[in-house]
Amino acid sequence: MRLRVDRFLSRVPYDRMVAALGQMTNPMANGNGADGKGEKKEAGVFDISMDGAIREAILSTYGYDDPSSVLYKDSDACDLAELSRKLARPPLPNSVPLANQALGYMQSNPTGIFPPFNGPQMTSIGAALTRRLTLIHGPPGTGKTTVAAAAAFGFVHQCRNVSPHTKVLACAFSNAGADNLAEAMMKLGLKVVRVGKASGVAEALRDVTLDAAIGRDPTARRALEEASRA
């Protein structure tokens, strides 16, 4: 699924993203018909150029690193068409109704904690809550962090219906990105534990770091002390 937070800016990277996603989500597109040189290609032959890291990350989700899997260490054995269908399926049996509940709450905004999301942003949040993999693109200032925080809010709602002890992991490429995401999630009332070296965490988030949480918990402190002596 191709989503764009903004509709008018940064056309070149957007076109590149669409081309890349098109190759991943429609792997058979170039498998039929002419190859541009007047020659017919064999039906079913994949002609795609996917980033190796993305390919490995996706395949690892479906057993590439599992010795018992038929895909173990054999990325060519993967049916990309079937994989794209798997990635588009909801991760939980009740993902869609729970996502609708979360989206309805965000739109009604009874506590005033959510910003007024535009159409593409709501579509992006809904896709993230109902698909196994969602890529969201947008230049600076288009609300990607806000959308990610709202998606995390929805994930928490979904996961708490599975188990009250379920946790949601949110990652970022840099410390600054992780700080921004943590602050955005905290504004939505989510309980956040910021993991990372203290030197790389913003001053405003020092009280929600893992070290701070351990320092406030006597049981955790004792366990840490015992582990250090072992």
Side-chain angles (χ1 to χ4, degrees):
M1 184 173 186
R2 303 161 191 163
L3 299 172
R4 190 182 182 193
V5 173
D6 70 298
R7 292 181 175 178
F8 309 106
L9 302 176
S10 192
R11 186 71 197 184
V12 172
Y14 174 66
D15 288 341
R16 291 176 179 172
M17 180 197 70
V18 168
L21 290 180
Q23 290 176 329
M24 183 175 75
T25 58
N26 301 300
M28 297 298 294
N30 293 326
N32 299 309
D35 63 358
K37 298 180 181 179
E39 299 178 1
K40 286 287 186 178
K41 289 189 176 181
E42 181 182 353
V45 175
F46 294 116
D47 181 19
I48 65 173
S49 177
M50 185 188 298
D51 178 84
I54 294 178
R55 181 182 174 88
E56 294 297 324
I58 294 174
L59 291 182
S60 66
T61 305
Y62 292 95
Y64 179 64
D65 293 325
D66 182 359
S68 64
S69 170
V70 295
L71 297 180
Y72 182 60
K73 299 302 181 184
D74 184 10
S75 59
D76 291 333
C78 180
D79 182 343
L80 292 182
E82 176 60 22
L83 179 58
S84 66
R85 287 191 288 271
K86 288 181 178 179
L87 293 175
R89 294 172 187 164
L92 301 172
N94 56 348
S95 288
V96 174
L98 291 175
N100 288 334
Q101 292 176 8
L103 292 172
Y105 184 80
M106 294 176 196
Q107 289 179 313
S108 62
N109 199 13
T111 58
I113 60 175
F114 295 99
F117 294 113
N118 60 32
Q121 289 172 335
M122 288 300 296
T123 301
S124 300
I125 297 168
L129 297 179
T130 55
R131 292 171 176 262
R132 297 172 185 270
L133 174 66
T134 303
L135 304 181
I136 302 173
H137 163 82
T142 53
K144 296 186 298 297
T145 300
T146 304
V147 165
F153 183 94
F155 289 146
V156 170
H157 174 67
Q158 290 175 320
C159 292
R160 290 296 166 82
N161 279 269
V162 176
S163 168
H165 305 295
T166 302
K167 305 296 189 296
V168 174
L169 175 64
C171 304
F173 182 73
S174 65
N175 279 317
D179 289 341
N180 291 336
L181 185 55
E183 290 175 345
M185 290 190 294
M186 290 171 63
K187 289 179 181 178
L188 300 183
L190 297 179
K191 183 179 180 180
V192 173
V193 177
R194 174 70 165 87
V195 179
K197 293 183 179 179
S199 59
V201 178
E203 185 68 30
L205 296 173
R206 296 290 172 82
D207 289 340
V208 297
T209 61
L210 181 59
D211 290 340
I214 292 175
R216 290 190 295 267
D217 188 330
T219 302
R221 286 202 307 272
R222 286 195 298 271
L224 185 62
E225 292 170 358
E226 292 175 1
S228 64
R229 291 194 297 267

